[in-house]
Amino acid sequence: MPMHRLTAITLGVPDVVATAAYYTDFGLTPLPGFGVDTQRFSTVDGREQLTLKYAPRRQLLDLGIGVDDPDDLDRVADSLQKLGVVVERSTASVDSSDPGTGVRVHVEIAPRIASEPSPAPAYNRPGEVTRPGRRADAVLRDGPVRPRKLGHVVLGSTDQESSQRFFTEGIGLKISDTVPGVAAFLRCSTDHHNVLVQSAPVAFLHHTSWQVDDVDEVGRGATAMLEADPERHVWGLGRHAIGSNFFWYLKDPAGNFSEYYSDIDCIVDDALWTPGAWEGIRSLYQWGPPPPPSFLNPDDLAALMTGAHSS
């Protein structure tokens, strides 16, 4: 797949300093040299992947997608032009905006992520004892949780069908699964999804999702975040059916949800994957506590609609 990952995102937030403190606690590494209106962060494997900039309301400003070479950029530029959207082309990138989500997409030549695999946990199972006479490794972990990479973003679109065409026919993402009439799970890598576009009354960022090593890191990360501030909790621990990943969602000071995840489905051969159409509660999760109403309809949705209408 010539496209191979999300490179980076830029979040617009009203309070950069408070939001930066949150993502530092979340486990991202602050990068030096920026002021109160701009902060940048890196992940372990993806390097610089998050920029915070001042904006009067929370929003995803930019979304980066990595490709291998200039031929990939030519294809993206041609496809977008066929959709009738404005395209900006340079030697190393293609830029265009999706009106439905309000997001500027920056397709760029970028190196692929080379992740060193973490040690596989040793689990004792019925009929198989893999760690006789010793405690589970996860019980002995005491360092901070550090996300390995940015995995996906979930975007609300005022025109879901148009946004889906923008990302698939224009940018070139592939459909992994759908919730008919509601959402599409799209990938630009071998991960099950990197962009989810869902119908919404206003364009907004629902959540960003950050990969950690395993389910224990999901739990350890969320536990540390909630020990610092219990009001950060949104939903978890649980496991999705679509994508199969473990999850725990928290909320940053701007109102964006951020997710720790692990064990997501990977599609290494398109011919071996058949997209499914999901309905009902299993489109949300396989097990875990029921999602709170604020996850489905964020508390600030009305304010975002008012702000978008005013602007």
Side-chain angles (χ1 to χ4, degrees), residues 11 22-23 26 58 152 154 204-210 232-235 248-260 292-300:
L11 296 184
Y22 171 93
Y23 285 103
F26 192 77
R58 68 178 184 91
H152 60 266
V154 174
F204 78 105
L205 172 66
H206 186 275
H207 72 263
T208 62
S209 189
W210 305 83
R232 292 168 166 174
H233 176 70
V234 177
W235 183 30
W248 201 317
Y249 295 90
L250 303 139
K251 184 168 68 173
D252 74 20
N256 304 299
F257 302 148
S258 59
E259 176 190 16
Y260 290 118
S294 62
F295 181 82
L296 303 175
N297 292 290
D299 294 336
D300 64 349

Side-chain angles (χ1 to χ4, degrees), residues 29-115:
T29 301
L31 298 174
F34 302 95
V36 295
D37 289 337
T38 303
Q39 296 283 330
R40 289 183 167 89
F41 297 83
S42 66
T43 57
V44 173
D45 296 332
R47 300 187 179 180
E48 185 175 322
Q49 292 205 281
L50 173 64
T51 298
L52 302 176
K53 288 187 175 181
Y54 170 77
R57 63 182 180 90
R58 68 178 184 91
Q59 56 192 299
L60 180 62
L61 299 173
D62 295 291
L63 171 67
I65 295 176
V67 298
D68 288 324
D69 55 53
D71 289 343
D72 301 323
L73 296 177
D74 291 337
R75 177 190 56 76
V76 172
D78 290 344
S79 298
L80 287 169
Q81 287 168 347
K82 289 177 182 177
L83 290 180
V85 298
V86 176
V87 176
E88 297 177 19
R89 174 67 196 273
S90 73
T91 57
S93 65
V94 172
D95 288 84
S96 188
S97 295
D98 169 38
T101 61
V103 173
R104 183 177 179 86
V105 178
H106 178 74
V107 183
E108 60 183 327
I109 297 172
R112 292 180 176 245
I113 288 179
S115 295

